[in-house]
Amino acid sequence: MRDVRAARVAGFGTTIFTEMSALAIQHHAVNLGQGFPDFAGPAFVKQAAADAIASDLNQYAPMPGLPRLRKAAAAEWQRQHGREIDWQSEVSVTSGATEALCDAMLALLDPGDGVLFFEPAYDAYVPDITMAGGKPIPVRLHPPTDSNGAWLFDEHELRAAFEQRPKLVLLNTPHNPTGKVFTRSELEQIAELCQEYDVVAITDEVYDRLVFDGKSHVSLATLPGMWERTLTLNSIGKTFSVTGWKIGWSVGPANLNQALRAAHQWVTFATSTPLQEASAVALEQAVSNGYYQQLLDEYQQRRGLLIKVLAEAGLPQLVAEGSYFISCDISALGLRDTREFCLRLVREQGVAAIPISAFYIDPTSAPPLARFCFAKKLETIAAGGERLRGLRVHER
Ligand SMILES: Cc1ncc(COP(=O)(O)O)c(C=O)c1O
């Protein structure tokens, strides 16, 4: 049969997440690969969804999103950043941050427009850019040279990328896969360049509640001169441990929301009504019921256990300042090919992880790192640890 695929998708294979999760099932492995929680979502949020369905909130939602969720997201923004925003024109609901990212690219890029982003990058970014006809402009985040260091970009490389006159910057903080949390001064540099080169910013902040060790998350949109040119994306999945719900939203000036909605109305048109209602309840109640602190405390524990488990396996690890991922340097095992390492790890040790090379346009240029996820029950992480001990015996 002839190849019927359009050029825009012909280069897309199966994602490494799908491949590793399938191998994890096949090999009865402990899945520390794909980033989703294996524990229950909060009861008050699940109950809200059940109530919404029972009360017959089951028909199409308004195209820009349920007013209750847009109001809750606007109130959240005001609480966090002190800026009052108009829920009607400055917030839009999408089917997860994934849809918002794709909508933003479709809505803002003309063929050939450049999009500057930091590499390694969440795997949807490059396909989103290219499906919209845009041109990816990657800027390297360089891995830390010592075990306590952060991933850093080079100022000159960043300016050189801006010199290519991108239309958009696509930023992710806290960052998947590195766990980097961009500092205020790094964001100030990016903000200044966005203004100097008249670039619009799309910021993906789905891990904003998962920032550790007293560090703080800074939203690019809150820096001077940036509100007018920034669309901030977030979603319910990571923060409320319900990644399957796919409820996301954008916050930003009316013109950017209007553009995003123009794409959204022809991509999904409306997003799941009962889950929007439940997401509104989640945002409303989490403010006063201590949920966010509990979430962070539990993640600190999971992170602490994964750090211990990886250290016991003899895998040197990089600091994870935020998100729910830790990267390990596999060159300590005498290996460089992370894909091969992860394939062997799942088959031979029964542990799934993700090769960092999956987050690069040119996988061969990636550093020798594997990403482990700690959005898992303590028992799961401990079980992974038991199996990873085998690495010390077999690989050395
Ligand atoms: C950086 C980043 N952005 C977006 C998403 C997707 O978010 P959602 O589940 O809301 O579509 C993920 C999920 O892994 C992610 O890691």
Side-chain angles (χ1 to χ4, degrees), residues 37-40 210 241 294-308 324 326 373-378 381:
D38 70 346
F39 43 83
L210 298 176
S241 309
Q294 189 189 337
L295 177 82
L296 197 58
D297 292 346
E298 288 172 0
Y299 267 105
Q300 288 274 14
Q301 252 193 310
R302 295 180 190 117
R303 174 172 169 263
L305 183 59
L306 184 60
I307 288 173
K308 180 166 167 282
Y324 46 49
I326 296 181
C373 172
F374 56 90
K376 306 293 166 191
K377 293 178 196 149
L378 293 174
I381 300 172

Side-chain angles (χ1 to χ4, degrees), residues 96-98 101 122 125 172 176 204 206-207 235 238 243 246:
T98 306
L101 283 160
Y122 178 55
Y125 290 2
N172 171 215
N176 175 12
D204 172 350
V206 298
Y207 298 102
S235 78
K238 318 289 176 186
T243 58
K246 302 299 287 185

Side-chain angles (χ1 to χ4, degrees), residues 219-259:
S219 283
L220 186 68
T222 62
L223 299 186
M226 288 308 289
W227 168 262
E228 296 73 16
R229 56 175 69 245
T230 306
L231 202 54
T232 304
L233 311 182
N234 209 327
S235 78
I236 212 78
K238 318 289 176 186
T239 306
F240 290 92
S241 309
V242 286
T243 58
W245 282 20
K246 302 299 287 185
I247 301 293
W249 57 90
S250 64
V251 173
N255 64 332
L256 291 180
N257 270 288
Q258 232 168 33

